Amino acid sequence: MEEVVKEAKDMQGMYGKRTILFIDEIHRFNKGQQDYLLPFVEDGTVILIGATTENPYFEVNGALLSRSAVFELKPLEKEDIKILLRRAVEDEEKGLGSFEFLADMSGGDARSALNAIELGVLTTERSEDGIIHITLETASECIQKRVVNYDKKGDNHYDIISAFIKSMRGSDPDAAVFYLAKMLYAGEDVKFIARRIMICAAEDVGNADPMALTVAVSAAQAVERIGMP
């Protein structure tokens, strides 16, 4: 990093040119590394562009963040993914069904969709007409599963558990099961979920159903000692 900054200073001093420093996954930089960049961002030696898949308000130093503009990149729309897939295979007529499926299952992640179509092309033999046909079955095997947007340390983690608790509090079993499934599918610690259910049973249900806490505690003990069914 010191060499990069030195080169940026030389470029600014000799040619009056500022340097754009792009750091991918900037959340992997520790506090000391981020602090090192701060004075050079302040004096204009470098124009810092940092990309992260984490919540920058948790992972980037406050001092650095206060001198930055934060832009949240939204997932691509399904139609955008379909256009990318068509460009990738250079054919706007074949395999529309698989395009639709991959565009929907990619969850707005273009890289996931492109990787899937690439895998399908590389692993599928040409038909008698000399064309590689990506069927819905092939597309399903290539995409494997939808990626769940879930960050155990960021806002999404707390948003989902909050929605789960509110669903139980509001006596909405469908919503509660949906958020429970999303957390389990994303790999959330089942003991964390069990503790939240016990809290809900004790604080929200209470004497309205005295057995609710007993059932919640029993379920928590069972999942901790035995694991998932």
Side-chain angles (χ1 to χ4, degrees):
M1 185 61 66
E2 292 180 2
E3 293 181 0
V4 173
V5 171
K6 182 180 181 302
E7 186 176 349
K9 282 182 173 294
D10 291 341
M11 289 291 291
Q12 188 178 35
M14 291 187 291
Y15 305 107
K17 293 183 177 180
R18 299 176 67 187
T19 299
I20 295 177
L21 176 61
F22 177 78
I23 301 177
D24 193 18
E25 303 292 354
I26 194 172
H27 62 271
R28 296 185 184 277
F29 274 45
N30 60 38
K31 185 179 184 299
Q33 291 171 318
Q34 292 185 29
D35 284 342
Y36 176 79
L37 291 171
L38 186 58
F40 307 114
V41 172
E42 285 187 320
D43 65 15
T45 301
V46 296
I47 300 171
L48 177 64
I49 300 177
T52 176
T53 53
E54 305 294 334
N55 187 329
Y57 293 101
F58 286 97
E59 303 296 338
V60 179
N61 288 359
L64 197 58
L65 200 63
S66 67
R67 293 160 176 78
S68 307
V70 178
F71 298 92
E72 181 182 0
L73 302 183
K74 302 291 186 179
L76 294 174
E77 298 294 332
K78 186 168 74 173
E79 290 302 316
D80 297 326
I81 299 290
K82 287 165 66 175
I83 291 172
L84 287 173
L85 292 173
R86 288 194 182 98
R87 289 175 180 171
V89 297
E90 297 181 346
D91 189 343
E92 296 185 1
E93 298 179 2
K94 303 295 181 181
L96 184 58
S98 63
F99 285 153
E100 189 83 31
F101 175 79
L102 291 175
D104 182 50
M105 292 298 289
S106 64
D109 186 344
R111 180 162 50 185
S112 174
L114 290 171
N115 286 342
I117 200 70
E118 180 184 21
L119 180 60
V121 170
L122 293 176
T123 58
T124 304
E125 297 290 338
R126 292 183 181 273
S127 301
E128 294 181 357
D129 58 7
I131 297 174
I132 296 176
H133 295 276
I134 306 298
T135 63
L136 186 60
E137 181 180 359
T138 302
S140 179
E141 292 174 353
C142 293
I143 197 70
Q144 295 183 350
K145 65 179 181 180
R146 185 190 298 268
V147 177
V148 174
N149 182 23
Y150 191 82
D151 175 11
K152 289 186 179 181
K153 296 182 181 179
D155 285 347
N156 194 256
H157 164 79
Y158 296 103
D159 289 344
I160 298 300
I161 192 65
S162 176
F164 174 61
I165 293 171
K166 288 177 181 177
S167 298
M168 291 190 293
R169 189 179 295 155
S171 301
D172 189 340
D174 291 335
V177 169
F178 169 78
Y179 291 116
L180 173 63
K182 185 168 185 176
M183 288 188 290
L184 293 174
Y185 188 78
E188 180 61 84
D189 184 357
V190 69
K191 293 191 291 295
F192 169 78
I193 300 173
R195 286 196 299 270
R196 293 294 178 147
I197 294 175
M198 287 190 287
I199 292 170
C200 180
E203 297 181 354
D204 297 318
V205 178
N207 289 330
D209 183 357
M211 286 300 296
L213 182 58
T214 300
V215 173
V217 171
S218 298
Q221 290 178 340
V223 77
E224 182 175 0
R225 297 177 183 179
I226 303 172
M228 291 291 291

